[in-house]
Amino acid sequence: MSETETETAPQQPTPELRALDRLTGNWKVTGGAEGTVRYEWMAGGFFLLQHVDLVQFGRPVTGMEIIGNLRPFGEPTGPDVASRYYDSQGNTFDYVYELDGDTLTIWAGAKGSPAYFRGTFTPDGTVMTGDWVYPGGGGYSSTMTRV
């Protein structure tokens, strides 16, 4: 394939991103944060959108997260499933998603960060239970139940 054909060949979402399809839909969140989240694919299937409506530490938080592989202009698709989260308090957080079997790890910042969420899906995929872990202690348990 010539360089020109490579540049114009249709791109496909990565298998690592497509594996997050099991998140699509509406979820009730309980634990250290309470409320609902909704995941949906953006047209084209290259980005998974999360809509957040929670109460965390007694404060309402709404937000949106865009999840997908990075592909800056003129560069190849990055290997990690990365995201950026924007919330109603003005925060922007970056994450890396990694799904291994039924275990989802969401690294805060770069993969391998000491701050992360790790949760496990039930065999039927209707519940995910896990914990947010923060460096130096802290964090909280969280359960998402499909509604």
Side-chain angles (χ1 to χ4, degrees), residues 64 83-87 89-95:
M64 180 177 191
S83 77
R84 175 150 293 169
Y85 171 79
Y86 305 88
D87 75 17
Q89 298 174 3
N91 296 304
T92 58
F93 300 124
D94 293 329
Y95 297 99

Side-chain angles (χ1 to χ4, degrees), residues 25-55:
N26 296 306
W27 299 83
K28 178 182 177 186
V29 178
T30 57
E34 306 269 336
T36 59
V37 296
R38 178 174 48 94
Y39 290 89
E40 65 179 337
W41 288 106
M42 188 172 145
F46 287 96
F47 297 98
L48 184 62
L49 308 176
Q50 179 186 196
H51 305 272
V52 175
D53 188 4
L54 299 171
V55 174

Side-chain angles (χ1 to χ4, degrees), residues 2-145:
S2 74
E3 190 174 317
T4 303
E5 289 173 319
T6 301
E7 289 174 9
T8 60
Q11 296 287 323
Q12 296 295 318
T14 66
E16 294 81 6
L17 176 62
R18 291 305 306 169
L20 297 180
D21 189 58
R22 66 196 306 180
L23 289 170
T24 58
N26 296 306
W27 299 83
K28 178 182 177 186
V29 178
T30 57
E34 306 269 336
T36 59
V37 296
R38 178 174 48 94
Y39 290 89
E40 65 179 337
W41 288 106
M42 188 172 145
F46 287 96
F47 297 98
L48 184 62
L49 308 176
Q50 179 186 196
H51 305 272
V52 175
D53 188 4
L54 299 171
V55 174
Q56 187 175 28
F57 308 119
R59 295 172 38 185
V61 177
T62 58
M64 180 177 191
E65 184 175 19
I66 303 171
I67 306 162
N69 295 89
L70 299 179
R71 189 174 60 182
F73 184 75
E75 296 183 26
T77 300
D80 292 332
V81 177
S83 77
R84 175 150 293 169
Y85 171 79
Y86 305 88
D87 75 17
S88 57
Q89 298 174 3
N91 296 304
T92 58
F93 300 124
D94 293 329
Y95 297 99
V96 173
Y97 279 65
E98 183 177 42
L99 184 61
D100 183 12
D102 289 331
T103 301
L104 176 65
T105 303
I106 305 171
W107 304 101
K111 190 183 244 183
S113 166
Y116 61 90
F117 170 81
R118 183 163 294 130
T120 303
F121 286 96
T122 56
D124 65 1
T126 60
V127 177
M128 182 174 52
T129 303
D131 296 290
W132 281 98
V133 176
Y134 300 141
Y140 59 89
S141 294
S142 181
T143 299
M144 289 193 342
T145 304

